[in-house]
Every structure is written in structure tokens, then in C-alpha cells.
Amino acid sequence: MSDRYAIDSHKLIYHPQRVASFLDAKDDWEKMKKIYPLYVEISPVGACNHRCTFCAVDYIGYKPTRLSLQYIERTLAEMGAKGVKSVMFAGEGEPMLHKEIDRMVMAAHAAGIDTAMTTNASVLSDAFVERALPLMSWIKASVNAGTAQTYARIHQTKESDFDRVMGNLKRMVEVRKSAGFSCVLGAQIVLLPENAGEVETLARICRDEIGLDYLVVKPYSQHASSVTTTYQEINYQGYAELQSKLSAFNTDKFNVIYRENTMKKHDEGDAGRYTSCHATPAFWGYIMSTGAVYGCSAYLLDPRFDYGNINKLSFSDIWEGEGRHKNFVYVREELDIRECRLNCRMDEVNRYLDRLIKQDVKHINFI
């Protein structure tokens, strides 16, 4: 099944200069501190208007914190100058709830940074559609059912939100078509026992009724700190027939991206996994709605991964500072990745870097 966006893989291989700098730095902090992330996740707000049954960040508490536009604009400008290539607005809350999210997107774009968003798409302002949408690389909506009834149960919201989300997605597709800009618009569904029978229905809606570019079908991933444990024993071996049925929805304009590789890794657990995290703290970062900068989204609120706060310090002072230095040492010398989240955001990146560092492929010089 085609995955033209490499969602079930990784794209670090297209940044060889940054990888070369990382390999050259090894355990030298003076070199490593100058390597800035390629990708940063930003959480504009801590609040969320849904309470999804599978939410990984429920332990944070959906607090009504929000980023200051003044500080995030300053930070984005600095990030762009330091070599950050992309930001995704998502996080512990619903990013569209920030009333100035359009201006954040504009600030990132002005800094030369590619922008994206993961959203529940239940909120859509005119300002965002008019000012931000034309500037973005992609938007992915989390839609975890094919009917309003199941959607309301999983998202723990009103059934009417389902139609509202579909309407918002259709509006973005129509505006994109009429204006002629290139933002890729997709949806994703976390495959659960409650919604497995509706994935085909959702695929049909996404393709035929809305006109999205893709639907991602992804596995659940248990967060070590999450209050939610309902799905921690879920297994994906029995969904081969569903995968086959979904392939029938593929066209030259629409793809169902069934994350077979990620589901296989989920079921295998730690078997054959790398033993060290290489991506942290080199290639990515996370900014919470409080302004705190973390090295890994799986360890939010953990002081060992807290580098500093953009409300108090510049991004360069944070990224080259003592907090990240301590984390650099900790990740290399003490972190037990068996305690990390399985299929974390950087899993495929880590597998790639692990092969490069160990050079465990035979006869590597015979290119």
C-alpha cells in the first residue's frame, strides 16, 4: 500500500549534513550543543475540548495554559535562524483553541520553517482559514470513528461534533481547491476494538464526501505515565483482512496509509529494538503550552528532560544550556529505553541511527 508521505517510516535520510554533524560529535558536548533540531513540536494550549479514551497525555491534566504570542514569535524567529526546518502544532491540548494560532503559523512561515498541525478539527476560525491554511505543509485531523455515535464514545464529546468536524474538513478542502494552494489535508484513526468495524466507512467519507488526500490507520501506543490503561494489551495480528479491504480505497489522489510496520513493531514489543536513544537530544524538541522546552514528548513534566523555558530564556540559551547538557549525559549513560514509550515519535529515526552507529550491515563499503 502506497505511503507517499513516508508516514510509516522516517525522513532523516534526507538530511545527511545534520546526520554527519551528529555522527562527528559522538560524546563531545561542545560539538553536540551546536546541533539544533530539525523538527519541533509545539503545544499552543494545554486545554482540550475532547477527552479521547486513548489519550496519552491525560496525566498532564488539560490545564488552561497557553503560549504567549510574543515569546513564541521570538522563539520561532530564532529557531529558523538556527536551522530548525519544521514545527508541528499539536501537543497536550487542542491547538485550534489558541485564538492566535494563525499568527503563530505566520511567524513560523516568516522564519522559513515548514508548518503542520495535528488537530481534532472541531474548531476552525475564519482567521485560520484565510491567513494560516495557505501557508501550511499539512494538517492531519484525528477522527477515530466512522459514525457519530462511536465518535462521541471514543472522543467523549457530543455526537454533533462528528458532523462539525466533517464540515470543517470539507471547508478546508474547498478553500484549498478554490485558492489553489498546496496544503496536504488528511485524517488519522487510532485502530481500536470499538472502531475497527468503521474504518472502511471513515475511508469512504474521507475520500468521497470530503476529498482528503489520505487516511492514516495507526496503532495505539501505551504511554508509561498515562492514566489510560484500557488498551495496553491490544494486539494487531488479527487485522490483515481489514488492511486488504482498505487497499481498495486507494486512487491516484487518495491513499489509506495502513501503518503495518508500526503495528508489527507494537506486537513485537522490545524484541530486536535498539538499546540507546540517539534522536534525543539532537534532532527534535517539544515546547509545552507553559513555554517549557523538553527533549522528548514521552517525558513531559519529567525534570530530567526539561531544558528551560522560552518565557525566561532565548531558544539558543536553552538548547545550548546546562539542562540539555545534563540530559545529553543522562540519555547516553543512564536512560533505560525499556521504560520508554513503545513506537515513540523517533522510533524509526532511532533504528536508522543505530544501524549507522553500529555499522552492523555486512560489507558496507560495497555500495
Side-chain angles (χ1 to χ4, degrees), residues 63-76:
K63 298 175 182 178
T65 51
R66 61 184 55 237
L67 285 174
S68 159
L69 180 64
Q70 173 188 352
Y71 290 127
I72 197 62
E73 285 180 332
R74 181 194 69 189
T75 299
L76 286 166

Side-chain angles (χ1 to χ4, degrees), residues 194-205:
E194 301 96 303
N195 63 21
E198 298 183 4
V199 180
E200 290 176 83
T201 301
L202 180 60
R204 189 173 295 108
I205 293 171

Side-chain angles (χ1 to χ4, degrees), residues 17 21 35 39 81 142 156 167 172 177 183 186 192 243 334 336:
Q17 292 177 318
S21 296
I35 300 175
Y39 163 72
S142 180
Q156 298 196 79
M172 287 192 284
K177 183 178 180 180
C183 178
L192 305 171
Q243 180 182 6
E334 299 182 47
D336 184 351

Side-chain angles (χ1 to χ4, degrees), residues 256-273:
V256 177
I257 302 166
Y258 187 91
R259 296 191 63 174
E260 179 183 14
N261 179 44
T262 308
M263 292 186 191
K264 180 181 178 182
K265 292 186 296 180
H266 175 278
D267 292 344
E268 290 175 347
D270 287 325
R273 198 179 181 196

